[in-house]
Amino acid sequence: MFFASDNWAGAHSAINERLMNETTRFAAAYGNSDLDRTIEARFNDIFEKEVAVFFVATGTAANSLALANFAKPGGVIFAHADAHVIEDECGAPDFFSGMRIAPVEGTAGKIDPARLKARISRFPQDAVHHGRANSISITQATEVGTIYSLDEIRAISAIAKENGLPLHMDGARFANALVKLGTTPAEMTWKSGVDALSFGGTKNGCWCAEAVIFFDPEKAKEMPFLRKRAAQLFSKSRFISAQFDAYLKDDLWLDLARHANSMADLLREGLASSNSVRLAWQTESNEVFAVLPIERMHAAHAKGAKFYDWSEPANMAQPVQEGEMLVRLVTSFATERKDVEDFLEIVQAG
Amino acid sequence: MFFASDNWAGAHSAINERLMNETTRFAAAYGNSDLDRTIEARFNDIFEKEVAVFFVATGTAANSLALANFAKPGGVIFAHADAHVIEDECGAPDFFSGMRIAPVEGTAGKIDPARLKARISRFPQDAVHHGRANSISITQATEVGTIYSLDEIRAISAIAKENGLPLHMDGARFANALVKLGTTPAEMTWKSGVDALSFGGTKNGCWCAEAVIFFDPEKAKEMPFLRKRAAQLFSKSRFISAQFDAYLKDDLWLDLARHANSMADLLREGLASSNSVRLAWQTESNEVFAVLPIERMHAAHAKGAKFYDWSEPANMAQPVQEGEMLVRLVTSFATERKDVEDFLEIVQAG
Amino acid sequence: MFFASDNWAGAHSAINERLMNETTRFAAAYGNSDLDRTIEARFNDIFEKEVAVFFVATGTAANSLALANFAKPGGVIFAHADAHVIEDECGAPDFFSGMRIAPVEGTAGKIDPARLKARISRFPQDAVHHGRANSISITQATEVGTIYSLDEIRAISAIAKENGLPLHMDGARFANALVKLGTTPAEMTWKSGVDALSFGGTKNGCWCAEAVIFFDPEKAKEMPFLRKRAAQLFSKSRFISAQFDAYLKDDLWLDLARHANSMADLLREGLASSNSVRLAWQTESNEVFAVLPIERMHAAHAKGAKFYDWSEPANMAQPVQEGEMLVRLVTSFATERKDVEDFLEIVQAG
Amino acid sequence: MFFASDNWAGAHSAINERLMNETTRFAAAYGNSDLDRTIEARFNDIFEKEVAVFFVATGTAANSLALANFAKPGGVIFAHADAHVIEDECGAPDFFSGMRIAPVEGTAGKIDPARLKARISRFPQDAVHHGRANSISITQATEVGTIYSLDEIRAISAIAKENGLPLHMDGARFANALVKLGTTPAEMTWKSGVDALSFGGTKNGCWCAEAVIFFDPEKAKEMPFLRKRAAQLFSKSRFISAQFDAYLKDDLWLDLARHANSMADLLREGLASSNSVRLAWQTESNEVFAVLPIERMHAAHAKGAKFYDWSEPANMAQPVQEGEMLVRLVTSFATERKDVEDFLEIVQAG
């Protein structure tokens, strides 16, 4: 019953196998192998356009370097107050970009366009003292399990264009959002105005496969240097490529995300229909937030279930009561139906 | 005939297998799994002392963060003029540490102690304008295939201690040097005055396994933050641990390094005994530098041999002549005897 | 009628004169002259303790280097949401310290202790992902013309001590606050738990005289290097010293601040007693915030009065109405009574 | 007998007077006053072209921000091994630019064009591992008292243009070089291919007046933000302008430099004609390097002469002998003929 995070899962067997095959041969290092070229081209297919692809070690690196690529002195990045780039990266985006991040509020983990507009207006392009608006970062799926609709993405990107700001998407859970929306990678990104994407494979079945993707390769000319100076250029880069090779083949990545989402559906249904337990808020991806009686939480922990409690946000429709706990439950490609069922049984009992 | 670099090799089967086993289970992320703990303890055994271990993505990251850990404003790092930290890391050590690197000359790729002393004396601890000496970095084995003897390491570390400077060792090819010297990891590091080590596994049979090791854990308190801010904390960190598990088990790592070295011995012998070809200088590790008739070089390339030409250093005993080329040949755990023999046959012919 | 800012004023004649005297002689550069030593010692007297003093070029430099002096990777600085370090320094404190600033709300421009506590608790010392609390910065007098009482400073410093965080005071308008509170420099700083002070002289009659003061010299050992690397070490440093010499002599600085404050008192009284105009909120230092009919504002501008309009903060007791404008009026050592009277006459008329 | 450095001098009376006049009025802060505009226009006249001018606090700031303005990740700056940017700025240029400086050798403190070419060729524009050439910095007059002829500047700038690199000139002693060459500011800079200039006034009679000048204003669009983020934007900026106003008026700056140079001529003549003392090498500006019997050095110190000894460079035509000392003597606008004569008398005696 592992619901702590999707990065507690291992790696998918097809990805393992492909990795193994790759290990038996020699090939050029530092991203110059035939396989690296092949996979870069694969991303062109997936996004229906020529893109620039840069593999890096972690999601934090992908976010940080994507933002650093657009950096200017005195620049200000706008992101949701709960965004990973603000809350979970130890200041790496600030460090690599030399800029600051201004938090923007919004319900359900999504940037509120009106507030974004207001916030940006405080940082005009000639604001030498205050600083100037530089870029916007959104997270898809969000940190709290919700998903921006295409219209919502376009509302943000319209503001970005009006202000001449590039739009970055943190896609650590890109696949989970994509299959839920039932749209294409192109639609969810550049066709909706996204300029740069952190494309995450690690949480969805790879063991380590993260990429930064720029939809206008002309605007990513500094990236090879930014990446190398950031110590993020793998010598055996093709082992990242090999993972992506299997990940992207025959839509495996979409299948894995669908599985994770469906396991979360199962959790959502079970929790929603329970008397003792409730959903903290509605989610759509592979993250579920629930309010449990503390005693049920202990029971679940006692039986080996792994999950984290979560800080209660302001404005919860039905606040956490004395004797209750807000917890986060994350499913993954590796989550088994039986684990979900066992967990539901435990928390619903009592 | 792959002699371009040891990072052109794949990964060893035992390491692959261990990695596969690890992928089927769930475990805590970000270095908090049981396996991460086990491997950290393994390093204590190997170095015969409690050490602090930090996994990172690349050798450049290991070097940069090791040096950043000791950083002070206005600090100056001393390294050999040919060192990887100066020549091959795009300024990453400077970027992460906020310091500068002062090159020190020395024959055979090794820092000359007298020159080091003289160089350090130019940067006293109160030199606000000039900058102050901060740390020393040596490479073992060196970039040009040579190896510091224990006495040579101690000569450097004595200067480090006199000046109150920590000593870092770039051990991208640590194992190759270790087995050649026939000494212990402890002797080649902290017992000889080394304070921090970049311990490389990638070039010697892992697919991606690099660690920074501090021999006084008390002096590495900032590292968890430095690493995370550098976007170098893997979520599935245990897959690095799994590689090290197999790598370190039953001295596999030493066997792999011995194999690489012995393949280089074979190359050295063959080249030394040839009439048309000669060793550019004496090496001891898995790197061999040779002077070939250009026409032999082309012949080798034509038959599929992979290797790089190399800039001629100043002061070569027998300079490269018109019609000749200086090339670098690197062997690895995966080099096969037949490839060496075939290569020698090609370059010796004609 | 110059009320735009106190840095629109020139320099006081006594300071000019002292500067002139100093220019006719030779003396050691880079802070090593006899005069530099003398003035450093003067600061010891003023603060009743041995302090470490570092002259810098701007208030932004003073704030940035004070905070950089305590910096650690992943560190988070806490400051009021309206603080100069957040709003008006183009990210310089972030740039020099390599850290982030977390805004804390509070009425009247002052950090609310309860909110500060809550905010700090989100950044515990082992929070590798989130970041860790590093330091607190308060502004005295605040950006909105209010002043922390000694008790209020102590409430903040108590939280700082509990959490092991150094407390910085941005004293760009230190003197204005000091004379208003009628306390001593020592009481308003280290005796109330302040660890570092940006001591501003420029706004109060110098032409360029800013210093960072550390109340525990042992904790400022890195500052000489931080300052030089920040390009903030003046060669003719003694010309800063000369300004401070006159500034501090015979309590000139306190007299100048008293004058500025009294001119603001005059403004406050006049505005408070008017029918057409009102104080936006109560202030105590040399800054006054007023709500004017737009037409009165235009009239004042037309007659040559200089002042800026100001963004309306949330939660104003009596919000700005249609047809009104919120403006900031700043007095200085050089403000003349007649100018205040003329201004009042204009805005009250109509 | 103050020959320690030209920054030991005070400030010229005409500059003082102008500064005084300025202090009695109010005017807009942060470089927005009428006077700031006037002086910026004055620089257009002096350089016979529209330039972008940015005042900063120190020569180190001028150099660092000029180089930062052209910075790219992985970039490498080329400067003479003895340059101030390498030897005397505590790493500030590296810190502000995020780049490294590669030293280039050359006799008489000037970059050797052939060596420069060779050095640059090691850093091609696609050298992700090694780093890429970014810019060149020369010092006029040099650190060792020599002066680049126009032809020599053009030889360097030709290499810069060939490689697409901007050329920066550190002009801390710009005026001394200019009057010696008897050329125009335009000829010595942009007409000879210089792109950015650190224009120093402090060493030549101002108390603090340094500017960065860009000869193509289009290429300095980031500078307002770079300067503010560097904490180098003076609030009372017009007091820098006032100094430059007097400095540039009626060629005062050229007269002051001519005086300093002529005092150095006097020193050079006296030393050259002496039996006991000799010039270490030929200089042309206001710096003189001499070899004295140690006993004469002590005698001079005993009589109150101020000057520094100097590290002996490699390859001195006539090396320093046992019992001798190499010293640097710097004259300034404030040096008096009698002091030179007294000094010569002391060192020639015995």
Side-chain angles (χ1 to χ4, degrees):
Chain A
M1 293 184 289
F2 288 93
F3 305 111
S5 180
D6 26 14
N7 55 33
W8 282 47
H12 189 266
S13 58
I15 293 167
N16 284 339
E17 230 163 84
R18 180 64 190 85
L19 196 48
M20 289 312 94
N21 294 344
E22 185 61 26
T23 58
T24 58
R25 65 169 192 136
F26 289 82
Y30 296 116
N32 295 318
S33 76
D34 49 349
L35 182 61
D36 292 304
R37 294 285 162 277
T38 301
I39 299 307
E40 281 172 29
R42 185 85 58 83
F43 276 101
N44 294 346
D45 296 343
I46 282 172
F47 286 101
E48 304 172 35
K49 124 183 267 299
E50 203 200 328
V51 298
V53 182
F54 299 90
F55 303 146
V56 295
T58 65
T60 294
N63 291 337
S64 298
L65 292 178
L67 294 166
N69 184 67
F70 299 114
K72 293 191 175 184
V76 174
I77 302 159
F78 300 87
H80 190 275
D82 296 340
H84 206 265
V85 291
I86 293 179
E87 287 286 299
D88 294 293
E89 302 188 347
C90 198
D94 314 60
F95 177 69
F96 284 104
S97 71
M99 302 197 293
R100 295 174 288 161
I101 311 182
V104 184
E105 299 290 337
T107 54
K110 302 183 213 173
I111 288 179
D112 177 72
R115 288 178 190 230
L116 175 62
K117 241 179 180 160
R119 204 89 168 85
I120 290 173
S121 73
R122 303 254 307 141
F123 299 90
Q125 289 308 305
D126 59 352
V128 165
H129 295 263
H130 204 46
R132 55 181 164 174
N134 177 274
S135 49
I136 303 168
S137 179
I138 58 174
T139 311
Q140 178 79 323
T142 75
E143 297 301 315
V144 296
T146 57
I147 294 175
Y148 284 90
S149 70
L150 293 187
D151 281 350
E152 286 172 332
I153 296 172
R154 286 168 189 158
I156 303 291
S157 75
I159 297 170
K161 299 315 166 224
E162 272 163 37
N163 289 278
L165 311 180
L167 177 59
H168 166 252
M169 178 180 279
D170 175 356
R173 294 185 179 101
F174 185 81
N176 301 285
L178 186 71
V179 298
K180 180 71 188 182
L181 289 187
T183 186
T184 65
E187 281 294 343
M188 204 166 84
T189 56
W190 64 274
K191 288 188 176 174
S192 296
V194 173
D195 297 291
L197 169 69
S198 299
F199 183 86
T202 308
K203 285 184 157 76
N204 193 35
C206 296
W207 97 247
C208 167
E210 302 287 320
V212 196
I213 293 170
F214 294 91
F215 296 105
D216 180 352
E218 282 305 305
K219 292 193 176 138
K221 298 291 190 199
E222 300 301 315
M223 267 298 290
F225 294 91
L226 283 167
R227 179 175 60 176
K228 177 65 191 172
R229 193 182 62 172
Q232 291 281 343
L233 176 59
F234 285 103
S235 57
K236 297 186 177 173
S237 166
R238 63 190 163 113
F239 292 163
I240 308 286
S241 294
Q243 292 177 71
F244 275 132
D245 192 15
Y247 183 68
L248 298 173
K249 193 175 175 184
D250 298 336
D251 290 346
L252 174 63
W253 64 304
L254 305 179
D255 292 341
L256 298 182
R258 272 186 208 109
H259 175 80
N261 287 1
S262 74
M263 291 298 102
D265 287 339
L266 213 61
L267 267 176
R268 274 185 283 262
E269 284 161 31
L271 294 165
S273 67
S274 161
N275 291 328
S276 52
V277 174
R278 67 179 184 280
L279 291 172
W281 55 81
Q282 214 40 252
T283 63
E284 303 164 279
S285 71
N286 63 321
E287 292 193 305
V288 176
F289 294 80
V291 179
L292 312 183
I294 286 181
E295 156 265 325
R296 285 298 84 204
M297 187 186 75
H298 289 321
H301 279 318
K303 301 228 168 156
K306 301 289 184 192
F307 53 93
Y308 290 118
D309 48 345
W310 200 253
S311 297
E312 184 179 356
N315 312 321
M316 261 180 69
Q318 193 179 342
V320 178
Q321 306 296 318
E322 177 106 34
E324 293 182 338
M325 227 27 203
L326 172 59
V327 304
R328 185 185 75 160
L329 306 164
V330 192
T331 57
S332 76
F333 78 94
T335 305
E336 293 182 27
R337 174 176 285 262
K338 189 172 179 322
D339 280 341
V340 175
E341 290 168 350
D342 288 353
F343 178 80
L344 286 171
E345 196 175 321
I346 297 166
V347 298
Q348 288 165 343
Chain B
M1 294 184 291
F2 288 93
F3 304 112
S5 179
D6 27 14
N7 56 32
W8 282 48
H12 189 267
S13 58
I15 294 167
N16 285 339
E17 228 163 86
R18 180 64 190 85
L19 196 48
M20 290 310 94
N21 294 345
E22 184 62 25
T23 59
T24 58
R25 65 168 194 137
F26 290 82
Y30 296 118
N32 295 317
S33 76
D34 48 349
L35 181 61
D36 292 305
R37 294 285 163 277
T38 302
I39 298 309
E40 282 171 30
R42 186 85 58 83
F43 277 100
N44 295 346
D45 296 343
I46 282 172
F47 286 100
E48 304 172 34
K49 124 183 268 296
E50 203 199 328
V51 299
V53 182
F54 299 90
F55 303 146
V56 294
T58 64
T60 294
N63 290 337
S64 298
L65 292 177
L67 294 166
N69 184 66
F70 299 114
K72 293 192 174 183
V76 175
I77 302 159
F78 300 88
H80 190 275
D82 296 339
H84 206 266
V85 292
I86 293 179
E87 287 285 298
D88 294 294
E89 303 188 346
C90 197
D94 313 61
F95 177 68
F96 284 105
S97 72
M99 303 196 293
R100 293 175 288 161
I101 312 182
V104 184
E105 300 291 337
T107 54
K110 304 182 211 175
I111 289 178
D112 177 72
R115 288 178 189 232
L116 175 62
K117 241 179 180 161
R119 204 88 169 85
I120 290 173
S121 73
R122 304 252 308 141
F123 298 91
Q125 289 308 303
D126 60 352
V128 165
H129 294 263
H130 204 47
R132 55 182 164 174
N134 177 274
S135 47
I136 302 168
S137 179
I138 56 174
T139 311
Q140 178 79 325
T142 74
E143 297 301 316
V144 296
T146 56
I147 295 175
Y148 285 89
S149 70
L150 292 188
D151 280 350
E152 286 172 331
I153 297 172
R154 285 167 190 159
I156 302 290
S157 75
I159 297 170
K161 298 314 166 225
E162 271 162 38
N163 288 278
L165 311 180
L167 178 58
H168 165 252
M169 178 181 279
D170 175 355
R173 296 187 178 98
F174 184 81
N176 301 286
L178 187 71
V179 297
K180 180 71 188 183
L181 289 188
T183 184
T184 66
E187 281 294 343
M188 202 167 84
T189 56
W190 64 274
K191 288 187 176 175
S192 295
V194 172
D195 297 289
L197 170 69
S198 298
F199 183 88
T202 307
K203 284 184 158 76
N204 192 34
C206 296
W207 97 248
C208 167
E210 302 288 321
V212 195
I213 294 170
F214 293 92
F215 297 105
D216 180 351
E218 282 305 305
K219 292 196 177 139
K221 297 292 191 199
E222 299 301 315
M223 267 298 289
F225 293 92
L226 283 168
R227 179 175 59 176
K228 177 66 192 172
R229 192 182 62 171
Q232 292 281 344
L233 176 58
F234 285 104
S235 58
K236 297 185 177 174
S237 166
R238 63 192 163 110
F239 291 162
I240 307 286
S241 294
Q243 292 177 70
F244 276 130
D245 193 14
Y247 183 69
L248 298 173
K249 194 176 175 184
D250 298 335
D251 291 345
L252 175 63
W253 64 305
L254 304 180
D255 293 342
L256 298 181
R258 272 185 208 109
H259 175 80
N261 287 2
S262 74
M263 291 299 102
D265 287 340
L266 214 59
L267 268 176
R268 275 185 284 262
E269 283 162 32
L271 294 166
S273 67
S274 162
N275 290 329
S276 53
V277 173
R278 68 179 184 278
L279 291 172
W281 55 82
Q282 214 40 253
T283 64
E284 304 164 280
S285 71
N286 62 321
E287 291 193 305
V288 176
F289 293 81
V291 180
L292 312 184
I294 286 181
E295 156 263 327
R296 286 298 85 204
M297 187 186 76
H298 289 320
H301 279 318
K303 300 227 169 158
K306 301 289 183 191
F307 54 92
Y308 290 118
D309 49 344
W310 201 253
S311 297
E312 184 179 357
N315 312 322
M316 261 181 67
Q318 192 179 343
V320 178
Q321 305 297 317
E322 177 107 32
E324 293 181 338
M325 229 23 207
L326 172 59
V327 304
R328 184 185 75 160
L329 305 164
V330 191
T331 58
S332 76
F333 77 95
T335 304
E336 292 181 31
R337 172 177 287 262
K338 190 174 177 319
D339 280 341
V340 175
E341 290 168 350
D342 288 353
F343 178 80
L344 285 172
E345 196 175 322
I346 297 166
V347 298
Q348 288 166 341
Chain C
M1 295 183 290
F2 288 93
F3 304 112
S5 180
D6 26 14
N7 55 33
W8 282 46
H12 189 265
S13 58
I15 294 167
N16 284 339
E17 230 163 87
R18 180 64 190 84
L19 195 49
M20 290 311 93
N21 295 344
E22 184 62 25
T23 59
T24 58
R25 65 169 192 135
F26 289 83
Y30 297 116
N32 296 317
S33 76
D34 49 350
L35 181 61
D36 292 304
R37 294 285 162 274
T38 302
I39 299 308
E40 281 172 29
R42 186 87 57 83
F43 277 100
N44 295 346
D45 296 343
I46 282 172
F47 286 100
E48 304 171 35
K49 120 184 270 299
E50 202 201 329
V51 299
V53 182
F54 299 90
F55 303 146
V56 294
T58 65
T60 294
N63 290 337
S64 298
L65 292 178
L67 293 166
N69 184 66
F70 299 115
K72 293 192 173 182
V76 175
I77 301 159
F78 301 88
H80 191 274
D82 297 339
H84 205 266
V85 290
I86 294 180
E87 288 286 298
D88 294 294
E89 302 188 347
C90 198
D94 313 62
F95 177 69
F96 284 105
S97 71
M99 303 197 292
R100 294 175 287 162
I101 312 182
V104 183
E105 300 291 337
T107 54
K110 303 183 212 173
I111 288 179
D112 177 72
R115 288 178 190 232
L116 175 62
K117 241 179 180 162
R119 204 89 169 85
I120 291 173
S121 74
R122 304 252 308 140
F123 298 90
Q125 289 308 305
D126 59 353
V128 166
H129 295 262
H130 205 46
R132 55 182 163 173
N134 177 273
S135 49
I136 302 168
S137 178
I138 58 175
T139 310
Q140 179 78 324
T142 75
E143 295 302 315
V144 297
T146 56
I147 295 175
Y148 284 89
S149 70
L150 293 187
D151 281 350
E152 286 172 332
I153 297 171
R154 285 166 188 160
I156 302 291
S157 75
I159 297 169
K161 299 313 166 224
E162 272 162 37
N163 289 278
L165 311 179
L167 178 58
H168 166 252
M169 177 181 279
D170 175 356
R173 295 186 178 99
F174 185 81
N176 301 287
L178 187 70
V179 298
K180 180 72 188 182
L181 289 188
T183 185
T184 66
E187 281 295 343
M188 203 167 84
T189 55
W190 65 274
K191 288 187 176 175
S192 295
V194 172
D195 299 289
L197 170 68
S198 298
F199 183 86
T202 307
K203 285 183 156 78
N204 193 35
C206 296
W207 97 247
C208 166
E210 302 289 320
V212 196
I213 294 170
F214 294 92
F215 297 105
D216 180 352
E218 283 304 307
K219 293 196 176 138
K221 298 291 191 199
E222 300 300 316
M223 268 298 290
F225 294 91
L226 283 167
R227 179 175 59 175
K228 177 65 191 173
R229 192 182 61 172
Q232 292 281 342
L233 176 58
F234 285 104
S235 57
K236 298 186 176 174
S237 166
R238 62 192 164 112
F239 290 163
I240 307 286
S241 293
Q243 292 177 70
F244 275 130
D245 192 14
Y247 184 68
L248 298 173
K249 193 176 176 184
D250 299 335
D251 291 345
L252 174 64
W253 65 304
L254 304 180
D255 291 342
L256 298 181
R258 272 185 208 107
H259 175 80
N261 286 0
S262 75
M263 290 299 103
D265 287 340
L266 214 60
L267 267 176
R268 273 185 284 263
E269 283 160 32
L271 294 166
S273 68
S274 162
N275 290 327
S276 53
V277 173
R278 68 180 184 280
L279 291 173
W281 56 82
Q282 215 38 253
T283 63
E284 303 164 280
S285 71
N286 64 321
E287 291 193 306
V288 176
F289 294 81
V291 179
L292 311 183
I294 286 181
E295 155 265 325
R296 285 299 85 203
M297 188 185 75
H298 288 319
H301 280 317
K303 302 228 168 154
K306 302 288 185 192
F307 53 92
Y308 290 118
D309 48 344
W310 201 253
S311 296
E312 184 179 356
N315 312 322
M316 262 181 67
Q318 194 179 340
V320 178
Q321 305 297 316
E322 178 106 33
E324 293 182 337
M325 228 25 205
L326 173 59
V327 305
R328 185 185 74 158
L329 306 164
V330 192
T331 58
S332 76
F333 78 96
T335 304
E336 293 181 29
R337 172 177 287 261
K338 191 176 176 318
D339 280 339
V340 174
E341 290 167 350
D342 288 352
F343 178 81
L344 286 172
E345 196 176 320
I346 296 166
V347 299
Q348 287 164 345
Chain D
M1 294 184 290
F2 288 93
F3 304 112
S5 179
D6 26 16
N7 55 33
W8 281 48
H12 189 267
S13 58
I15 294 168
N16 285 339
E17 229 163 85
R18 179 65 191 86
L19 195 49
M20 290 310 94
N21 294 344
E22 184 61 26
T23 59
T24 59
R25 64 167 194 138
F26 289 81
Y30 297 117
N32 296 316
S33 77
D34 48 349
L35 182 60
D36 292 304
R37 294 285 162 276
T38 303
I39 299 308
E40 281 171 30
R42 186 85 58 84
F43 277 100
N44 295 345
D45 296 343
I46 282 172
F47 286 100
E48 305 171 35
K49 125 183 268 299
E50 203 201 329
V51 299
V53 183
F54 299 90
F55 303 146
V56 294
T58 64
T60 295
N63 291 336
S64 298
L65 291 178
L67 294 166
N69 184 66
F70 299 114
K72 293 192 173 183
V76 174
I77 302 158
F78 301 87
H80 190 274
D82 296 340
H84 206 264
V85 290
I86 293 180
E87 287 286 299
D88 293 295
E89 302 188 348
C90 198
D94 313 61
F95 177 69
F96 284 105
S97 71
M99 303 197 292
R100 296 175 286 161
I101 312 181
V104 183
E105 300 291 338
T107 53
K110 303 182 213 173
I111 288 179
D112 177 73
R115 287 178 190 231
L116 175 63
K117 241 179 181 162
R119 205 87 169 86
I120 290 173
S121 73
R122 303 254 308 140
F123 298 91
Q125 289 309 304
D126 59 352
V128 166
H129 294 262
H130 204 47
R132 54 181 165 175
N134 178 274
S135 48
I136 302 168
S137 179
I138 57 175
T139 310
Q140 178 79 323
T142 74
E143 297 301 316
V144 296
T146 57
I147 295 176
Y148 284 90
S149 70
L150 293 187
D151 280 350
E152 286 172 332
I153 296 172
R154 286 168 189 158
I156 302 290
S157 75
I159 297 170
K161 299 314 166 225
E162 271 163 38
N163 289 277
L165 311 180
L167 177 58
H168 165 253
M169 178 181 278
D170 175 355
R173 295 187 178 98
F174 184 82
N176 301 286
L178 186 70
V179 298
K180 180 71 189 180
L181 289 188
T183 185
T184 66
E187 281 295 342
M188 204 168 82
T189 56
W190 64 274
K191 287 187 176 176
S192 296
V194 172
D195 298 289
L197 170 68
S198 298
F199 184 87
T202 308
K203 285 185 156 77
N204 192 35
C206 296
W207 97 248
C208 167
E210 302 288 321
V212 195
I213 294 171
F214 294 92
F215 297 105
D216 180 352
E218 283 305 305
K219 292 196 177 137
K221 298 291 190 200
E222 300 300 315
M223 266 299 289
F225 293 91
L226 283 168
R227 178 175 59 176
K228 178 63 192 173
R229 192 182 62 171
Q232 292 281 343
L233 177 58
F234 285 103
S235 58
K236 297 185 177 175
S237 165
R238 63 191 163 111
F239 290 163
I240 308 286
S241 294
Q243 292 177 71
F244 276 130
D245 194 14
Y247 183 68
L248 298 173
K249 194 176 176 184
D250 298 336
D251 290 346
L252 175 63
W253 63 304
L254 304 179
D255 292 341
L256 298 181
R258 271 185 208 108
H259 175 80
N261 287 1
S262 73
M263 290 298 103
D265 287 340
L266 214 59
L267 268 175
R268 273 186 283 262
E269 284 161 31
L271 294 165
S273 67
S274 161
N275 290 328
S276 53
V277 173
R278 68 181 184 279
L279 290 173
W281 54 83
Q282 213 40 250
T283 63
E284 304 164 278
S285 71
N286 63 321
E287 292 193 304
V288 176
F289 294 81
V291 180
L292 312 183
I294 287 181
E295 156 263 326
R296 286 297 86 204
M297 186 185 76
H298 289 319
H301 280 317
K303 301 228 168 156
K306 301 289 184 192
F307 54 92
Y308 290 118
D309 48 345
W310 201 253
S311 297
E312 183 179 357
N315 312 320
M316 261 181 69
Q318 193 179 342
V320 178
Q321 304 297 317
E322 178 106 33
E324 294 181 337
M325 225 31 200
L326 172 59
V327 305
R328 185 185 74 160
L329 306 164
V330 192
T331 58
S332 76
F333 77 96
T335 304
E336 293 181 28
R337 173 177 286 263
K338 189 175 179 318
D339 280 341
V340 174
E341 290 167 351
D342 288 353
F343 178 80
L344 286 171
E345 196 175 321
I346 296 167
V347 298
Q348 288 165 343

